Amino acid sequence: MSDDRTTDDRTTGARAPDGTTSGARAPDGTTPGAGAPDGTTSDGPTTGGAAPGGPTPGGPTTGGAAPAVEEPRLTTRRTDRRRAPRHVLAVLPFAVAGLISLLLSGNTLRPLEHITTIEARMASKSDYFKDPEVQRLLLRHGLRVDIHRLGSRGIATQSLRGMDVVFPSGQPAAKLILDRQDRSVRSVRPFVSPLVLGTFHDYAETLVEAGVATPQPAPGRTTLYYDLDMVRFMRLLDGVDDPRSPKDGTGRTADTWNGIGYDDITRDGGSNSGRVLVRTSNVCESNAAGTYLSLLAFVANGNRTPGTRPPGTRTPGARTGSGARPAADAVQRLAAEIKPLIDLQGMWADEQAESYFSDLGESIAPVSLLYEHQYLAHQIAHHDRNGEQDTSRVLLYPTPYALTEPQLISLTGRGDRLVEVIQEDEDLRRRAIELGFRVRFSGADGTSDQLNAYLAEHAIQVPRENSDRTKVYEPDLEVLEEIIDHVGDCPPPVRDTP
């Protein structure tokens, strides 16, 4: 098929309705716009030259040119490229950093996941669940713990409605809670922590001079730990001039810090005429204070647990057949004996630790009741910040020793899930070690081995196990309640069921 258009594609070569095309020859043989014999074109006279528009669009002609058809112009719309607002640019680095953090932590999709909130009533061991790393590890399992703070004894005696788990700091309270349950419950004792006394270097050295404390060896550096003879120490706590112990001071200075030589020991010329006392947490609420009372009662009772007697003996006035249970008046006499030995301050155990570790700790109380993990966690954090141990604060390990065993007890199905995670997650166990706890899981290494290895890795002195391994066993719950009520003048507990 022939093409009637010229070789110049810019011409209008479309076929008209009459069948002709622009630039095609007419029937008479002429081309529209071409010059006729008389010098005219079919479109009108011309001067014989090209039209003003330039060459004939249809190609060369013999007598002139057709009117030029203007070529269409291609135009593009120009858009201004807008810059991002300055406030967007300002926050962009933070958004990118946040995204990178989420990617590295594995929490990128965390906002889209379902999070189960566990309602928990806890005592001093709530510091474990308040730790940001523990909270992050729990979120990996879709769990968040909402903590309701209460002392262990309060947890054991008050209503537990609405709670999924409880976490008393010791076994007496745990036993009371378990006895109240009308369902089979899951529980775990994930770690243990010895009861200790926190003091300061000069006070510890004063106790050494008084013959009641012995420093643990620390070759090449200042020791952090001392062993404390509780029998001798209790003679300093009663405020009585004991003629058998000339080192406890005489007269008005008996059983005072200056009376046992603090003003001679202190390196800054300080003086303290106050009594030698241990600052405790609230005995009516706190497991730490209750355990300390058990320790004092154990020693005062001849290193025997109050509530028991040697086989074959019976307390006069005791009920027939109850040889293991002393008469009520014997318990009262024991409670009256140890009441002067405790300084009632009414603080929580974790608040007690915060006070001890504060800048004013030494002026607040020379000796404070603590859990070992609180002190070790402080030393680890101090070494990470400063590259050295905090040698101004030291620990006294009582002999005999008392070990606290916190127990996480589930009350609901949601609580069962938390118990399961705490029991099985190795990262949570590792974090407990990093917080100074002696972990306790079946199949694992000994509770002390892992902690000691971690302390050595972080250049923290490892406490030595006392050669005297006499352990304090807490008395029968009824006996312990009597002692606590007598020493602390505690209000009657609010007893209720879950």
Side-chain angles (χ1 to χ4, degrees), residues 304-365:
R304 293 192 304 270
T305 302
T308 61
R309 297 191 63 81
T313 64
R314 187 169 68 89
T315 303
R319 292 171 294 176
T320 302
S322 61
R325 174 71 171 92
D329 58 347
V331 175
Q332 291 296 318
R333 284 196 301 269
L334 184 61
E337 182 180 348
I338 65 176
K339 184 172 183 176
L341 310 183
I342 188 167
D343 181 20
L344 302 178
Q345 295 293 332
M347 298 184 69
W348 301 111
D350 49 358
E351 292 174 342
Q352 178 94 348
E354 291 174 3
S355 176
Y356 169 69
F357 295 121
S358 70
D359 293 338
L360 298 176
E362 188 169 0
S363 61
I364 294 174

Side-chain angles (χ1 to χ4, degrees), residues 77-81:
R77 173 175 293 178
R78 185 174 182 180
T79 58
D80 294 333
R81 299 178 64 182

